[in-house]
Amino acid sequence: MAHYNYLIAGGGMTAAAAAHSIREVDAPGAIAVIGAEPDPPYNRPPLSKGLWKGEAEETIWRNPDLVGVTLHLGRRVVSLDPRGKRLSDDRGTMHTFDRLLLATGGTPRRLPFESDKIIYFRTLADYRRLRTLAAQSHRFAVVGGGFIGSEVAAALRMQGCDVVMLVPETGLGARVFPGELSRFVAEYYREKGVDVRTGEGMAGLEQRGEATVVRTTTQKEFTADVVVAGLGIQPNVELAEQAGLQVENGVVVDQHCRSSHPSIFAAGDVANFHNPALDTRMRVEHEDNANTMGKVAGENMAGQATPYDHLPSFYSDLFELGYEAVGDLDVRQETFADWKEPFREGVIYYLKGGRVRGVLLWNTFGHVDAARALIAQPGPFNAGALKGRI
Ligand SMILES: Cc1cc2nc3c(=O)[nH]c(=O)nc-3n(C[C@H](O)[C@H](O)[C@H](O)COP(=O)(O)OP(=O)(O)OC[C@H]3O[C@@H](n4cnc5c(N)ncnc54)[C@H](O)[C@@H]3O)c2cc1C
């Protein structure tokens, strides 16, 4: 049994950011990361972007071991005893801690059928498997038109693969992009050679001899060598629940990333925090949040009292189109599009009660801070006041 001043459950980007910031505040403290994946922490976004465009795999590593962090990899934390401040992993090893960070992220939602032809794309191992298959197989079904589905479909198509996308909504990115833009992106993907089937989901998967047949919700069928599912994630809250921590769409934390137990913190995809600019609780599944919240959580674990008041941004690439965004992009809000060139370059504002709550910077880069500043203003704003604002 080893004792650590700082123990981190989960070995992703949040864990890496926290390990670095703990080390900056506490030079001698003993820090360990227990991560279920066999690989040390790495950046996930390149798995569906840069690595498909020639970026080298070596560029993704985060290297927390360089600052004296012990890495226990390929191990899953299976039980947490908050009173005894100890946890055990799936090899039966017990670890004790002064402070614990839950950085367990999320697990992809699954389809209701089992098949080894389905890849739930999340990890470096998934990327390597898909990359190998993309070099061998030529027909892929991508289920889901959100971030992962859209990026993976583009990556596969750019390798020359045949790609059918099953998207139950009327367009791509339908939860985030206003209807017209979402339908434009679907059409843009079709022009790129992706067979985008909107209004159609996956209903079943059958092996017929050598052929894998995908059945759809509109009673159609097609064959595919591999199915990639991008159906979103569920936060890995089991340990927190087992430990009796407050959990509500993620591990509930205060402004210092502390859970309902004073020695246990949570950050990244698994954490539910209050954002002052939007005055709402949120759980964010994006890189900026993982890095910034992980850093703040680490500082606070090491004794500082830094509030996490950052409004996270995110970004994506869709073939040659790309965007940055900040705030709440729930498309059920009122939206105002300020196009320089329709669907090619512009800014979309998401408003509620006259306040800007989210900004989508479509092929418009370097304005995230200006968007944040706008969200911080009380308004009220109308379309006239927003035109040309960014
Ligand atoms: C392919 C892909 C592309 C992305 N692209 C973008 C992008 O372009 N822009 C953007 O903003 N965001 C992007 N994201 C999202 C971003 O990567 C995530 O928000 C970020 O990885 C979250 O980091 P995390 O460390 O909180 O959680 P995770 O990345 O989920 O890491 C958690 C780690 O903890 C491990 N773990 C879980 N439970 C246990 C346990 N009990 N014991 C031990 N280990 C455990 C998991 O195996 C995992 O390794 C992308 C995500 C993916 C998958």
Side-chain angles (χ1 to χ4, degrees), residues 63-122:
N63 295 328
D65 47 338
L66 293 183
V67 290
V69 175
T70 306
L71 297 178
H72 299 288
L73 301 176
R75 294 186 188 210
R76 182 166 286 279
V77 179
V78 290
S79 73
L80 168 59
D81 166 11
R83 275 187 154 191
K85 291 197 186 174
R86 60 188 178 180
L87 50 75
S88 60
D89 66 29
D90 55 3
R91 295 193 202 169
T93 308
M94 192 77 83
H95 310 261
T96 55
F97 58 84
D98 297 326
R99 296 213 163 145
L100 172 70
L101 176 66
L102 294 173
T104 46
T107 300
R109 284 202 192 87
R110 295 179 76 87
L111 290 160
F113 9 86
E114 288 301 317
S115 166
D116 61 4
K117 302 275 176 179
I118 306 174
I119 298 179
Y120 296 95
F121 197 80
R122 180 87 185 160

Side-chain angles (χ1 to χ4, degrees), residues 10 14 36-37 44 49 77 104-105 122 269 285-287 315:
T14 300
E37 290 179 58
R44 274 187 213 289
K49 300 180 200 59
V77 179
T104 46
R122 180 87 185 160
D269 280 17
E285 299 168 2
H286 293 298
E287 178 182 34
Y315 62 95

Side-chain angles (χ1 to χ4, degrees), residues 8-16 34-37 39 42-49 72 75-78 103-107 121-123 147-148 151-152 233 236 238-239 267-271 284-291 313-317:
I8 302 176
M13 298 163 69
T14 300
I34 306 177
E37 290 179 58
D39 299 298
Y42 57 86
N43 289 325
R44 274 187 213 289
L47 304 183
S48 53
K49 300 180 200 59
H72 299 288
R75 294 186 188 210
R76 182 166 286 279
V77 179
V78 290
T104 46
T107 300
F121 197 80
R122 180 87 185 160
T123 65
F147 293 104
I148 299 297
E151 290 188 2
V152 168
I233 61 162
N236 291 325
E238 298 77 8
L239 287 174
D269 280 17
V270 78
V284 173
E285 299 168 2
H286 293 298
E287 178 182 34
D288 179 23
N289 181 62
N291 285 330
S313 65
F314 60 97
Y315 62 95
S316 184
D317 293 339

Side-chain angles (χ1 to χ4, degrees), residues 185-253:
V185 178
E187 204 44 52
Y188 174 75
Y189 266 55
R190 289 184 187 115
E191 280 164 24
K192 295 285 180 187
V194 179
D195 180 357
V196 181
R197 303 189 184 182
T198 45
E200 206 170 344
M202 185 164 165
L205 192 67
E206 272 170 39
Q207 201 61 37
R208 290 189 203 147
E210 286 293 286
T212 306
V213 179
V214 176
R215 280 188 289 111
T216 79
T217 49
T218 55
Q219 282 76 50
K220 294 188 188 111
E221 293 186 347
F222 63 92
T223 58
D225 301 306
V226 182
V227 176
V228 185
L231 308 170
I233 61 162
Q234 282 178 318
N236 291 325
V237 293
E238 298 77 8
L239 287 174
E241 281 175 341
Q242 188 211 87
L245 307 183
Q246 193 186 347
V247 172
E248 213 179 292
N249 180 30
V251 182
V252 175
V253 296

Side-chain angles (χ1 to χ4, degrees), residues 67-68 123 158 182 354 364:
V67 290
T123 65
M158 286 189 287
S182 163
T364 301

